[in-house]
Amino acid sequence: QVQLVESGGGLVQAGGSLRLSCAASGLTFSNHDMGWFRQAPEKEREFVARINWNGGNTYYADSVKGRFTISRDNVKNTVYLQMNSLKPEDTAVYFCAARYLAYTGGWGADANEYAYWGQGTQVTVSS
């Protein structure tokens, strides 16, 4: 049974930082590209960042480029999202996801390319 468990969310002031973690089990973690998505109230889920299976390639949404960094530890089966210079518009539930093995390369920004999802962690940025 595949499980993705996010942690690290919380309330932070604008300009602050948070580091999200996503611990994976029940799958061969090092085989999968991993992604972070987010969903704000009354908005659709949107892509945030993607990292390939070995951490050698990353891709970011324009809205977070230069502020967020995705990374992974294939020994700990964990993917991270370091979020700096947070803005109120970053407020959302953040989800990690494991990409289908059939998808390699490309941007990895389409949620339909992801097979497994975590339950999400709330990030709230106050102004």
Side-chain angles (χ1 to χ4, degrees), residues 8-93:
L11 173 64
V12 63
Q13 288 189 330
S17 299
L18 283 175
R19 188 195 196 202
L20 305 184
S21 300
C22 171
S25 60
L27 76 170
T28 305
F29 179 75
S30 59
N31 285 353
H32 291 266
D33 292 359
M34 297 296 294
W36 285 96
F37 290 75
R38 67 186 181 186
Q39 188 166 17
E42 301 182 359
K43 291 190 176 180
E44 292 188 354
R45 189 169 299 190
E46 66 172 356
F47 169 76
V48 175
R50 186 270 300 154
I51 189 166
N52 77 326
W53 63 277
N54 67 358
N57 179 267
T58 57
Y59 178 64
Y60 297 91
D62 287 343
S63 59
V64 306
K65 201 173 296 182
R67 300 187 298 122
F68 291 11
T69 303
I70 188 171
S71 61
R72 66 188 296 159
D73 185 332
N74 284 350
V75 174
K76 295 182 178 179
N77 287 357
T78 302
V79 62
Y80 305 96
L81 186 68
Q82 177 66 44
M83 306 185 295
N84 298 329
S85 302
L86 283 160
K87 305 174 181 180
E89 51 263 44
D90 294 318
T91 294
V93 177

